[in-house]
Each structure stands twice: as structure tokens, then as C-alpha cells.
Amino acid sequence: MAKEVKRKISAIGDINFSDLQVTEPEAYAAGVPAIKVALEHVRKESGLFRSIKTLSRMNQKEGFDCPGCAWPDPEKPSKLGEYCENGVKAIAEETTFERADREFFQKYSVEAISQWTDFQIGKSGRITEPFVLRPDSVHYEPISWEAAFELIAEHLRTLNHPDEAIFYTSGRSSNEAAFLYGLFARAFGTNNMPDCSNMCHESSGVALSQTLGIGKGSVVLEDFEEAEVVMVIGQNPGTNHPRMLSALQKCKEKGGKIITVNPLSESGLNRFKNPQQLNGILGKGTALTDIFLQVKINQDVSLLKLIMKRLAKRQKTDNTVFDLDFITEKSQGYEDFLEDLKGYSEDELLALCGVESSKVDEAVEVLATESRIIICWAMGLTQHKNGVENIKECVNLLLLKGSIGKKGAGTCPVRGHSNVQGDRSVGIMHYVSKPLNQALKKEFGFDPPEKQGMDTVEAIQSMHSGKSKVFIALGGNFVSAASDTEYTAEALQHCELTVSVSTKLNRTHLTAGKTSLILPTLGRTEQDNGRFVTVENSMGKVHQSKGRLKPASDNLKSEPEIVASMATAFFGNSGPIDWMRFGTDYGLVREKISKVLSGYADYSKQSKGSGFYLPNNARAGDFSKLPGGKAQFSICKLPEHRLGADEFVLMTVRSHDQFNTTIYGLNDRYRGIHGERRVVFMNPADMTRHGLKSEQVVDLISNYNGKERRARHFKVIPYNIPSGNLCSYFPEANVLVPIDLYADQSQTPVSKSIVVKVEEYQG
Ligand SMILES: Nc1nc2c(c(=O)[nH]1)N[C@H]1C(S)=C(S)[C@@H](COP(=O)(O)OP(=O)(O)OC[C@H]3O[C@@H](n4cnc5c(=O)[nH]c(N)nc54)[C@H](O)[C@@H]3O)O[C@H]1N2
Ligand SMILES: Nc1nc2c(c(=O)[nH]1)N[C@H]1C(S)=C(S)[C@@H](COP(=O)(O)OP(=O)(O)OC[C@H]3O[C@@H](n4cnc5c(=O)[nH]c(N)nc54)[C@H](O)[C@@H]3O)O[C@H]1N2
Ligand SMILES: [Mo]
């Protein structure tokens, strides 16, 4: 065998600056600029005509599901097409004319590509055929599908134990692909199924399961029209869920109030010009936020406790503030909760959260008098050490108000990837579900493993130590998405084999195992031999998605086909499962899902049109599976941040021009940043205190357990952010988060409250 080479791979890429221009943050979201920018992306990537035709099919009943976020579609989608600026960018990115083909990989070694930025890597285009990187090489080269599947099977066969393999999933995969993938992993013998949810809404899943008996939200889209109050906490919908702004607009039109809790005043939550309405194009648009609570990073629990303390005070004189009937009938732990709340001083909570007392009172006034309350949240709550408790504290407030299980009220964790919730529902999880295992055994005739598998953090540690040897990823960009970038890159490089089922090139293909495969797959927009798949949106509704466009290359396979082929190569054709039949007939997969899981009856048929809702006990106000048959109040502690005089708390967020690690462009228009991503937002008073000037070049340094981690070369931007807080972009700042810094219980990396110092850049 040829000699193994030690590849010189950069896990970070180019850190040079591009061309920064700073303007005032925008006063509103969407409107005409959104249409202009969207079309500009489309024109550059994939030609205008083809895409307008494509866009008109997006999120329509017979069309395809937007590959962007998981926000649900309205019952009556707009005739103009149900999409937003960032959905258009997602499509432009997928339908690009650029190709990462044989010539490309012959020209550029993985060492060379790894020196590029994530933005440049992503712009290489769609992958055209399967490629292999051999242990003795720094160039990917073509390989046939058959040889690729055989190579995977060979590696899997050499393992001492099935637990030496890892099966990662990112949330774009369809229910059908995900179910088959989970089936394959379990039939192979492991529950090592980390998924992007571990880095995302895992804290929500844990908190909601424990308090309300279901790891998903309880509201449906129509609830926004009935809600009297919508709280948006730790979420930036203007960028990440732009179609949610239409729901907030409807809520406002019906007289609802919006309370926003965020360290930043995000444009999208200030004013919205709906591009699908004339008023949105010509008029002033709709003001969204009524009360803005500018909380310090990770002090939401302090703020919520303060709000609930003041509500409790009012309750003493006006006993309609809390919903005592609901509390008595449906919940458990109310007295203990109130007793605990008494132990906190208002002054302490006020100082910690950093919000003006009068603003808190405004919120208290609204919350005291109204009773139909929805709380929406996303990564601003989940990605902290106390991520689970952040969400439990939100549930406490909803329980006090009886705002669960009735119209216009409830929990709304706003999901990220378009099918991340569906993947979980059909079995992508590292923990063991006994009922699922029993059903799988009955239906497929094998014994699924009973040992809990590894989540994302554990999988990285295991690969790093050499215990895990094969890493297979159904989508995603593991190295750039996970924490501790350099460590995660080493972990992947320690593997014997890494496999990525991908649409486009990304850094994970470069920080490859000794042998590495890229298996190119169809995107959501593309025809799949007339077949359709199904997905589940953020509110638990399952519906069809059918691609329309000619695939980017003739040599792509669908995800279910790829998974089935891997399984066939490993198991042969003789086992109890006829994998290839499933890989080709998705109707059959849906039939099996409906037998194994509840709520999917008559699946294929029901998924037509606007689809069907899965059962949801919290929505129905049924807490019978919880202790005492009741929803649970929780006692949450305050987060602890003991900062030195020169330390800050840093959050990492998405710019307006990216989808996670896919960088669409270098602008963050709403925040007034153009042409650059290596920036750090800082309070102007902090800048003065630290002797820093606007656009001064600095390094960000974290120091956990005596190990220094440095994110180099950022420009300081004066910004309206609480003192002591900083903000930078994901994934550039991921190097700062140590692998063992994660949320209690959910093990979600702490990407939103990293303690750092700022030093002048030293070159
Ligand atoms: N266009 C686009 N759409 C996307 C994505 C994308 O990258 N691009 N990603 C998708 C995915 S996977 C996900 S999970 C979602 C993410 O959606 P978001 O959670 O909206 O994404 P982030 O940019 O991480 O934004 C976090 C928000 O929380 C605030 N925040 C940070 N820390 C705190 C805190 O301690 N307290 C409070 N109250 N607020 C805080 C930040 O200021 C910011 O407004 O979006 C999905 N949709
Ligand atoms: N510091 C920090 N880190 C974070 C976060 C943060 O806020 N801050 N957010 C976290 C969150 S919420 C998430 S969800 C994770 C995201 O983690 P991932 O889901 O792993 O990452 P993505 O960037 O969404 O994956 C992009 C890649 O998916 C592939 N892809 C795109 N479409 C398809 C498709 O249809 N099929 C297949 N098979 N592949 C496809 C493309 O090759 C693309 O390069 O990152 C997490 N990391
Ligand atoms: Mo996410």
C-alpha cells in the first residue's frame, strides 16, 4: 500500500480582511431592498429566469419545501410565491451554475482549498460525482458509486465494534432519508447518531420534555392571529426566519403586542415592510416591537425572574394576574416556585439583567392584563451553559398565565434547519427510545441496540481519542458547525474513514479522515424521478416536497438511495431488510414509518396539500404522562459569570448573508456591515475604557481550564450592545469554545456566552 501522507490542512482558512464598509443599521427589514438583494444573488448564481420559475413553486402545495428555515407555510400561500430574501438566497446557492468537478479537484489540492475562507469554498459550486481522497493523496479523485459503497462497507466490516462508527445528520434530510439512515445505524448496531440538533435546539427538547411532556413547541401558525402578546426572546427572525415577520405583522394587526428580549436591537424586529403587500413596497411598513428589553447576554433568567416577581406582587392585590384554575388543575410545583422566587432581590435581578426598571414595568403591565401569550425563542436561549433552565424559566411564565394548551398561546421554539424536527421525529437521536426499538424489532426483525449513543460533543471526543474510526455525515458541515474548531478538525483527521453526503463543497471535506468520500446528492429543488419526500415544519406539520429542476449533474443520487446503497453494500441482499426497495420506493418507507411511529396514519395521502399535524399533548393541554399528570414548574438558578476586569461575554450569531456555515455573501445589511465578516461588535463606552478605536484590529482570546484559544484578526465595531458584551459571527469565532464547554443536560456547545479578552492583533 502507498505511503500515508500527513496533509497540511487549515481548519480556519484565510483570515485576511476583505473590504469593510460600515453604515447605520437599517431601520426596517425586507421591503424593496430585500427583493433587490435576493434577485442579485439569483442573477449571480443561477440566472434570473430559471430561478423565478423555481421560486414560484417554493412552499406551494405542489412545490418543494424551502431548503432554508423551518418556519411553516400559511394555509393559503401567496400567489407571488411564499418565500423571503434568505429563502431566495438558499435557492440561488443550491441552483448555482458553478461546479466542483474532476477538473476542479485535479487543479486544487485539499491543502490549497483549506487555505480559503468558508465563503470561497462554498462558491466552488455543486459536486458533480462521487470523489475519494486516498490516504496517500492530497487530491480528491473520481470514484464510481459502486466502489464508494464497497469502500464504506469494507471499513465498517473492519471495526471491532459497531460503536466505533458515527452517523451524523444535519437537518436538511427528508423524513424518508432520515428514517432509513436511522434504521441502517441501528441495524448496524449503534445509536451513535449525533445530529445538528445537539448544537441547536437540544436544550429546548430537554426542557420542554421535562416540563410539558413533549420536546416540541405547542403553537400553530394561526395562534399568532389570536395571541394578545408574543414574546420573542433570543431570536433574530428578520434574518433567520423572515416569513415569521408576516405572522408577527398579523398579530399586530389584530391588536397583539410584541415584547422583544435581546442584547441587540435587531432591525427585523423593529419594523417590517412586507414585500408581498403593496403597503410593504410603497408604505412605511408595520412597527413590530412594542417593548424592547435590552437584556445582557445570558441574563434572561434574571430578567424573567424579575418580571415574575413583579407579577407575583400584583397577584397579591389582583388575583386575576395568574391563572389559578390552570395552575391548580394542570400544574405542579407552584408554591415551591413562588417560595424560591421570594429569595431573590429585585435590585440584584435588575442589576444583572441590565434592563431599565421602567421598561420591565411596561412588560409586566402587559403580561399582567393579557392571558394569551406565546413565547418564541431560538439560539439566544439554547446555546448557554444554562440553556435548559433558560427555557424552563419561559415555561414557568407561561404556566403562571395558563398560557399552554389554548388558542393564541404556548411555546414556540423556532427551529433551524428546514427538517431538523422531522429527522428527530422519525428516529434520528443518540438516546434510546424503548417503544421505537420494540416497534422496529417487530417490523424489521432485528434487535436494535439498547446502549445510548454519542451526541455531537461525545462523538468529537471519541474520534479525537481514536476510539471512533468511521464518521458518516448525512449533510452538514461538521467541522465548521461544531465548537473547538482545531480540536474537531484533528478528531476528524484521526478517523480511518470520513464520508460526507453533500450537495456542495465545505471544510469538513478538507479536514478529512485518512480516507474520505464525498457522495453528491440531489438538493430540494431538484427532480427525483418523479418522487416526492416529506418534511416536518417547526410546528409539527408534515407535508410533501417535490423538486422541479433538472439535477446539477447526471451523476447524483437521492439521499434515500445513497443510504440504501450503503446498507446493501454492508448487509448484502440476504438480510431481513430489502434496502434497495426502500431506497427507490419512498411510499414504502412512509408505510413503514406509519407502522413504527404513531401519528403517521395514511401517511403518503395525508401529506398531500398542506399536510397533517402530528399529535401534540401540550397543544391539547394533556400532561398525563408527566409526574402527577401535571405540567411542571421548575426552580432555576441564576447563571454565573465571574468576569475579570478585562473580560467580556461574547455571543456568536449569524449575519444576514449566511445559512449556518454556508456563507452567501459578506454583508450583514441590517446591522450596517458590508464586505467583511471578521468583525466584533462592542459597546462604545467599553471601547473608550479599553482604549480601542473604531475598526481597530484585535484578537479575541478565551481561556478555559488554563488553555488559551485565539480567534485572530477582527475589526472592532462600535455598536448598540450592552456594556461587557461582545458579538461576533459564527463560524469564525467557534475556535474560542472549548469542546467541554456545553449546556448542562443538553450538551449543546456554549456558543452564545463565551468569556473572552480582547487584545491588539499581534500578527
Ligand atoms: N438565513 C438564515 N436562516 C437561518 C439560519 C441561517 O444561518 N441563515 N440558520 C437556521 C438555524 S440552523 C437556526 S438554529 C436558526 C437560528 O436562528 P437565531 O437563533 O435567530 O440565530 P442567531 O443568529 O444565532 O441569533 C440569535 C439571536 O439571539 C440573540 N442572543 C444571543 N445571546 C442572547 C442571550 O443571551 N439572550 C437573548 N435574549 N438573546 C440573545 C442574538 O442577539 C440574536 O438576535 O435559524 C435558521 N434559519
Ligand atoms: N458558534 C456557533 N456555532 C454554531 C451555531 C451558532 O449559533 N454559533 N449554531 C449551531 C446550529 S443552530 C446548527 S443547526 C449547526 C449547523 O450544523 P450543520 O447542519 O452541520 O451545518 P450547515 O452549515 O447547515 O451544513 C451545510 C452543508 O450541508 C450540505 N447540504 C446542503 N443542502 C443539503 C442537502 O439537501 N442534502 C445534503 N446531504 N447536504 C446538504 C452542504 O454540503 C453544506 O455545505 O451549527 C451550530 N454551530
Ligand atoms: Mo440550528
Side-chain angles (χ1 to χ4, degrees), residues 7-8 12 127 162 285 330 333 391 492 619 650 660 707 751:
R7 305 181 194 115
K8 293 184 201 70
I12 312 293
I127 301 152
K330 299 268 185 179
I391 290 137
L492 287 166
R619 185 176 298 156
L650 168 85
N660 298 341
K707 180 159 183 209
S751 309

Side-chain angles (χ1 to χ4, degrees), residues 164-185:
E164 290 178 0
I166 290 163
F167 296 85
Y168 174 70
T169 313
S170 164
R172 263 196 199 176
S173 296
S174 62
N175 283 358
E176 290 76 0
F179 179 78
L180 278 185
Y181 192 55
L183 190 65
F184 175 40

